[in-house]
Amino acid sequence: MKIIYYLVLLAAGICWPLSFYKANGFGRISWAIVVAVAIVATSYYLGKKFDGKYELLPLAAMPLVDIRYALVPILAVLIKAVLEKRIVVLNSAIILFCGVIFLLNFGTYKNLSIIPRNALEEHYVNTKLSLYENKHEARLLNNKITSLGSKYLNNFFALVDFNNYFFSMHPREIIGENQNLMKYPYIYVFAFFTGIYYLKKSKDAKWLITILTATVLSLSFLSNFDKFDLILWIPIFMIVTNGVAVVRKKRYASVIMMSMLGLSILEILRVV
Amino acid sequence: MVIILAVGFYFRFNKLGEAPAGFYLDEAAIGYNAYSVLLTDKDEYGMKLPLIFRSFGDFKAPVYSYILVPLLKYFELNEWSTRFPSALFGISTVIVLFLLIKEISENKKSLLPIVSALFLAISPWHVLFSRTTYETNLALFFLVSAILFLYKSFKKPVLMVVSALFWSLSFLTYHSERLIAPMMLCLVLISKRELILGKVKEYRKYMVLSVIVGLVMVLPTVFLFKTPGFLSRANTLSIFSTIRQMPYGFDDEYSGIFSGLVKNEEILMAREFASLYLSYFSPRYLFNLGDYGPRSSYPEMATFFVWQMPFYLVGLFGLIKEKKEKDLKFLVLTMLLISPIPAAMTRDPYSSIRALPQVIPLVVIMAYGLLKISEKIRINALGYTVGFAVLLFSLVKLNSSIFTLNEYFRAKHWEYGLKEAINIALEHSPELPIIIDNSRGEPYIQALFFTKYDPVSYQNENFEVNLGEYYTNMNRVTRKNMERITVKTIEFGEDTGGKEQYLVADVLAISDEQIRNHKMIKIADVKYPDGSVAYRVVKTRKY
């Protein structure tokens, strides 16, 4: 039973890195992303070892790995501060360090973010503005904030969509530049929901909430977060693990786990 | 409640005949068949009071058309009168939902009924289907009414018969309800089994009567379920049918030792169903994307407003944990889980038209979430002001999306321009023949609708199938005759030379070059609001 349990976890964890490798190989960007994933893993390890004391410290290296990740440590520190209702000196230093790097590279970041408007968007907004009789209404509904907000929300909702992680987005849904990688075998969606439901009881809840929220909020600023969302692999895997651990204690656990394993092998075969 | 109804009324009835601009062929089919039944007791094919309308071979549910028949006695046949029942039943659903939540709530002082009614009244999802001739909106009204009267009948058994009437109407009005209504009915009855079994003697008479009412109404249609017409539609749409398309993810080229398993259709179908089903709960679709279909959504509008997302999450979690409100919890969660099943069985990703019944549990969940949050957080004057501002902004945005953006960006999808083009051709000369091109779509039905063509003449001039094969023969005749109007594919040469006549078609069918080459005279270009040509009317020369 124990072996099956570990195999079930292995099957859950192997899919996303495998499909990422198959789609991207080991180029410069891929290595940067892999290093970012390693930083997240180190953050978790340090959090465990020092009771949450230094868990955000490794994240300070993220802007150096790739500027797209610059906001992750800053947001993580802020979220942790909100959760704990205090901010420690070390974390303030992380904000300062990452903030400076972010500001120095703001030009590059801006070009990679949702801020620039292309000609098509410009034309669409101008067309809309011309349709209103009342110019105040036109400006209220079509301004820079609504335009940026709309792009940000598109990314945000794609990142929090469970179909994104368990069904490669959606059957027959065409996503422009997205690789639509197979991230987790679909059967694990139930383990994921169970894991979310019992998240409060997990020892890692605070770390998971901090990392997940910071990552999702910061990746939503990018014009294309595809590939770079691999840093969510560990936190989501941990939620799935949490769910599988709950299922393990239920009646007919062995039958459920065997089914999960069988179906996930089929999914992995598809990736390979 | 009066203010909520006033807001709901405004969004449903304002410019009902004009927005959406254009009149889609399904709307015209429902309207003209009702007109035909009113004048002749027969549909366009001459079938007397059909159980389902053959229409374009898609066999439309009949209730909308039959409801329209008495209305057309008092109103002229036009876009407004055809859409009127949908708007009326839409606003009525808001009232019925209010009464239903009031009926099943343990806490009679709760604001849940009124907040639920508010959320439904302003829901872009429900507003859209209340402004267009879609059967789904009527079916939803019948479904919610059926549930309301069923719960009321536990106190006053005679209402069971009324409930049975509504269950049956719901079943007959739209395809999704054919699955949802029986499932909901069974589950509500199972949940109330102790109460029902304890009062069998009191209920027996009404239960028998209800069953009779239900069977009399439903059985004739059930017998048609095996007809080729019905099966053809099911095969086209269903993900469980591989006649037209393999399941999503089917890799024909895969040839490993496990290919039997990897290419297993049942596993892939289960995967596709799970994915489609879960998308109906995904915040991405509910609050950001909405339906992809241009006629099933408003521009820049999802099915709900983005600020409602936290209420959805809190409400869902809170309702799962709810201990006191047993009926409310059971009904809302059951309806939430059942409603997307028929939609998830079809190929389209996130079909808001087929999953419309889900709007009910979702608005209740969001209302519940809002009230839960307001219990936890003390809201001060600033909070109320911000809340009111957000609501007002959303209403302005909805208004702009319905009456400004949709008119401009989606006119094409509502087949704008055909009415104007036909009228131009008719008015230009009272004698010359007119050919309307039908390479794309079924414009004959719009021609019948806009000209209010005499149904008797139409039935006499056209033949598609023997009436004995009305429900079974899938043969289609594409050429339609209406005195001097003929609807067919334009044949260059045959139709463009030799005699004078008018041609009505889109730019794909008649380009500028073709006008020059065939020496035709351009009479008019009917343009979409964005300035591109929708339809053109040309005159051929006699030579």
Side-chain angles (χ1 to χ4, degrees):
Chain A
M1 183 66 187
K2 212 170 181 178
I3 293 171
I4 292 171
Y5 172 67
Y6 286 118
L7 282 174
V8 165
L9 294 185
L10 179 71
I14 204 169
C15 237
W16 196 347
L18 204 61
S19 59
F20 179 85
Y21 171 71
K22 287 274 284 181
N24 301 295
F26 273 128
R28 194 195 70 78
I29 295 280
S30 299
W31 271 114
I33 294 168
V34 170
V35 171
V37 173
I39 289 172
V40 173
T42 316
S43 157
Y44 175 70
Y45 173 75
L46 287 183
K48 276 268 175 206
K49 184 137 181 143
F50 300 103
D51 200 21
K53 220 174 177 183
Y54 303 110
E55 63 185 5
L56 300 186
L57 187 60
L59 299 183
M62 283 187 115
L64 303 173
V65 172
D66 194 296
I67 195 63
R68 292 177 184 87
Y69 291 129
L71 288 178
V72 177
I74 298 172
L75 288 169
V77 168
L78 294 175
I79 291 160
K80 194 172 179 186
V82 171
L83 289 176
E84 293 180 349
K85 292 178 184 143
R86 71 192 174 99
I87 185 159
V88 293
V89 180
L90 179 68
N91 289 347
S92 310
I94 293 173
I95 287 199
L96 197 67
F97 175 72
C98 296
V100 169
I101 296 174
F102 178 67
L103 288 175
L104 288 175
N105 294 281
F106 184 71
T108 316
Y109 184 85
K110 190 182 160 190
N111 291 335
L112 297 166
S113 76
I114 52 174
I115 300 168
R117 247 192 211 171
N118 61 34
L120 209 63
E121 287 167 3
E122 207 72 61
H123 174 71
Y124 180 60
V125 172
N126 289 336
T127 308
K128 280 196 295 177
L129 286 172
S130 69
L131 298 177
Y132 295 87
E133 283 172 22
N134 184 335
K135 290 296 155 202
H136 297 294
E137 188 191 355
R139 276 283 158 218
L140 176 74
L141 297 171
N142 302 287
N143 50 53
K144 276 190 180 153
I145 297 172
T146 54
S147 170
L148 275 180
S150 152
K151 284 198 260 182
Y152 185 84
L153 287 174
N154 280 343
N155 284 342
F156 173 79
F157 279 108
L159 280 161
V160 297
D161 185 13
F162 29 80
N163 267 40
N164 180 359
Y165 301 101
F166 297 94
F167 297 95
S168 320
M169 275 296 180
H170 202 290
R172 298 172 225 286
E173 181 181 345
I174 301 149
I175 309 276
E177 295 165 13
N178 200 308
Q179 293 182 327
N180 282 14
L181 297 179
M182 189 178 280
K183 291 164 184 163
Y184 297 93
Y186 75 93
I187 192 74
Y188 287 84
V189 73
F190 302 105
F192 176 76
F193 288 140
T194 314
I196 289 272
Y197 191 81
Y198 290 100
L199 187 63
K200 226 174 168 182
K201 290 179 184 169
S202 164
K203 287 174 200 163
D204 306 317
K206 213 181 259 182
W207 181 84
L208 278 170
I209 291 168
T210 307
I211 294 296
L212 273 173
T213 318
T215 310
V216 167
L217 292 179
S218 62
L219 288 179
S220 302
F221 278 111
L222 301 179
S223 63
N224 185 4
F225 62 77
D226 194 30
K227 292 191 269 204
F228 295 90
D229 57 353
L230 187 70
I231 57 168
L232 287 165
W233 170 55
I234 291 175
I236 293 175
F237 175 65
M238 284 173 68
I239 294 174
V240 169
T241 308
N242 196 24
V244 174
V246 174
V247 171
R248 194 186 178 193
K249 291 172 196 155
K250 302 280 175 197
R251 271 176 81 187
Y252 308 115
S254 53
V255 179
I256 298 170
M257 303 259 252
M258 287 295 280
S259 320
M260 283 172 92
L261 189 61
L263 283 171
S264 38
I265 288 170
L266 290 184
E267 295 280 286
I268 293 164
L269 282 171
R270 288 172 174 285
V271 179
V272 179
Chain B
M1 190 63 192
V2 174
I3 297 169
I4 291 169
L5 286 177
V7 172
F9 192 88
Y10 169 78
F11 280 120
R12 283 159 182 81
F13 284 92
N14 183 34
K15 295 183 181 172
L16 184 63
E18 298 115 73
F23 200 58
Y24 191 57
L25 55 92
D26 281 334
E27 297 187 287
I30 288 172
Y32 186 76
N33 277 301
Y35 181 68
S36 179
V37 170
L38 174 73
L39 299 183
T40 66
D41 284 346
K42 295 169 184 168
D43 79 336
E44 58 179 290
Y45 297 101
M47 181 70 173
K48 195 164 186 182
L49 304 176
L51 291 169
I52 45 176
F53 283 87
R54 183 178 172 87
S55 194
F56 314 121
D58 56 348
F59 291 92
K60 287 188 172 54
V63 178
Y64 199 117
S65 285
Y66 284 127
I67 282 176
L68 205 51
V69 173
L71 282 172
L72 293 178
K73 258 187 180 175
Y74 304 102
F75 299 109
E76 204 185 327
L77 176 70
N78 57 28
E79 294 92 324
W80 185 90
S81 60
T82 310
R83 286 171 180 167
F84 176 75
S86 195
L88 183 69
F89 282 96
I91 195 72
S92 307
T93 311
V94 177
I95 302 169
V96 176
L97 176 67
F98 173 80
L99 297 174
L100 173 64
I101 303 302
K102 212 171 170 60
E103 176 70 30
I104 59 172
S105 286
E106 295 288 331
N107 178 5
K108 298 294 173 195
K109 287 179 184 171
S110 163
L111 288 173
L112 190 65
I114 203 134
V115 182
S116 304
L118 169 69
F119 282 179
L120 186 65
I122 61 167
S123 156
W125 190 359
H126 192 248
V127 167
L128 186 139
F129 290 113
S130 299
R131 293 188 59 86
T132 43
T133 317
Y134 280 120
E135 304 101 319
T136 182
N137 197 42
L138 266 65
L140 177 66
F141 169 80
F142 293 132
L143 182 67
V144 182
S145 303
I147 298 169
L148 169 68
F149 281 102
L150 184 62
Y151 273 98
K152 278 191 176 289
S153 74
F154 296 134
K155 291 173 199 154
K156 207 175 174 187
V158 68
L159 293 175
M160 227 173 247
V161 186
V162 183
S163 178
L165 188 78
F166 280 121
W167 284 113
S168 314
L169 280 169
S170 171
F171 180 90
L172 294 171
T173 307
Y174 191 61
H175 309 294
S176 295
E177 269 73 0
R178 287 175 190 164
L179 206 64
I180 296 169
M183 284 168 87
M184 281 300 298
L185 175 61
C186 290
L187 289 170
V188 174
L189 290 178
I190 289 168
S191 78
K192 289 285 179 186
R193 62 190 178 280
E194 283 174 14
L195 179 82
I196 296 165
L197 292 173
K199 290 182 179 178
V200 167
K201 275 189 181 172
E202 198 185 326
Y203 287 169
R204 188 159 44 195
K205 189 169 73 182
Y206 301 106
M207 280 170 83
V208 172
L209 202 59
S210 304
V211 171
I212 293 170
V213 167
L215 289 180
V216 167
M217 289 184 71
V218 163
L219 271 185
T221 303
V222 171
F223 287 129
L224 295 176
F225 281 4
K226 283 189 177 171
T227 57
F230 184 87
L231 291 175
S232 152
R233 184 170 170 80
N235 285 337
T236 312
L237 295 172
S238 172
I239 56 166
F240 302 115
S241 163
T242 52
I243 294 173
R244 288 177 183 233
Q245 211 170 354
M246 294 308 280
Y248 181 76
F250 184 83
D251 185 359
D252 208 18
E253 288 170 12
Y254 187 89
S255 58
I257 46 166
F258 298 106
S259 68
L261 282 169
V262 172
K263 287 159 86 169
N264 185 291
E265 287 170 16
E266 282 72 26
I267 292 174
L268 289 169
M269 283 172 191
R271 183 180 190 273
E272 186 168 359
F273 176 78
S275 166
L276 289 164
Y277 181 73
L278 285 173
S279 69
Y280 291 90
F281 302 90
S282 163
R284 180 166 173 246
Y285 285 93
L286 293 171
F287 305 102
N288 187 237
L289 284 184
D291 195 322
Y292 280 103
R295 282 185 305 277
S296 307
S297 62
Y298 286 125
E300 302 187 359
M301 274 282 155
T303 41
F304 295 103
F305 300 107
V306 71
W307 52 265
Q308 290 177 310
M309 190 186 85
F311 306 143
Y312 167 65
L313 298 176
V314 172
L316 188 60
F317 195 73
L319 208 58
I320 291 169
K321 297 231 164 190
E322 175 67 55
K323 295 260 162 53
K324 288 180 196 163
E325 297 279 0
K326 283 186 181 161
D327 280 345
L328 181 81
K329 177 181 175 177
F330 174 80
L331 183 69
V332 172
L333 292 182
T334 309
M335 204 168 173
L336 179 77
L337 295 172
I338 286 178
S339 305
I341 293 175
M345 287 161 70
T346 62
R347 294 185 198 279
D348 304 325
Y350 197 73
S351 166
S352 59
I353 183 169
R354 294 187 196 114
L356 185 65
Q358 206 194 13
V359 74
I360 298 296
L362 286 170
V363 294
V364 179
I365 285 169
M366 288 185 284
Y368 182 87
L370 171 65
L371 296 175
K372 274 276 160 199
I373 290 173
S374 65
E375 273 171 26
K376 292 263 162 72
I377 306 166
R378 259 189 67 201
I379 302 171
N380 54 20
L382 181 70
Y384 281 114
T385 312
V386 171
F388 184 72
V390 169
L391 184 64
L392 204 62
F393 178 79
S394 303
L395 296 184
V396 171
K397 197 168 179 219
L398 179 61
N399 190 65
S400 132
S401 190
I402 298 172
F403 301 114
T404 308
L405 301 183
N406 197 55
E407 299 304 88
Y408 185 85
F409 292 109
R410 305 273 169 94
K412 189 180 193 172
H413 303 282
W414 286 98
E415 303 193 339
Y416 173 84
L418 192 55
K419 180 185 181 179
E420 290 75 7
I422 293 170
N423 284 340
I424 289 169
L426 284 171
E427 284 163 14
H428 213 260
S429 158
E431 299 105 25
L432 289 182
I434 299 167
I435 295 179
I436 301 173
D437 180 67
N438 69 353
S439 309
R440 284 161 287 283
E442 302 273 6
Y444 82 92
I445 198 72
Q446 283 132 322
L448 287 170
F449 184 93
F450 294 133
T451 57
K452 298 184 194 68
Y453 193 73
D454 175 34
V456 178
S457 307
Y458 180 75
Q459 288 159 21
N460 291 335
E461 286 170 62
N462 295 276
F463 173 83
E464 187 161 289
V465 288
N466 287 320
L467 293 181
E469 296 174 325
Y470 180 90
Y471 298 111
T472 51
N473 190 336
M474 295 302 289
N475 180 43
R476 296 277 292 130
V477 173
T478 51
R479 186 188 175 108
K480 308 279 181 180
N481 306 305
M482 298 159 225
E483 286 179 4
R484 68 182 177 118
I485 300 178
T486 306
V487 181
K488 62 188 268 295
T489 307
I490 291 172
E491 303 284 349
F492 282 90
E494 184 189 317
D495 294 324
T496 52
K499 62 174 179 177
E500 277 188 315
Q501 60 184 359
Y502 292 104
L503 306 181
V504 176
D506 57 21
V507 271
L508 287 174
I510 306 176
S511 65
D512 289 328
E513 199 183 349
Q514 280 162 329
I515 292 175
R516 276 195 304 277
N517 290 348
H518 294 272
K519 298 183 176 62
M520 294 186 281
I521 306 159
K522 193 200 283 183
I523 304 296
D525 273 349
V526 178
K527 290 182 177 171
Y528 291 121
D530 67 3
S532 58
V533 178
Y535 290 94
R536 61 186 10 163
V537 183
V538 297
K539 191 178 170 188
T540 57
R541 287 174 203 263
K542 193 176 179 180
Y543 56 85

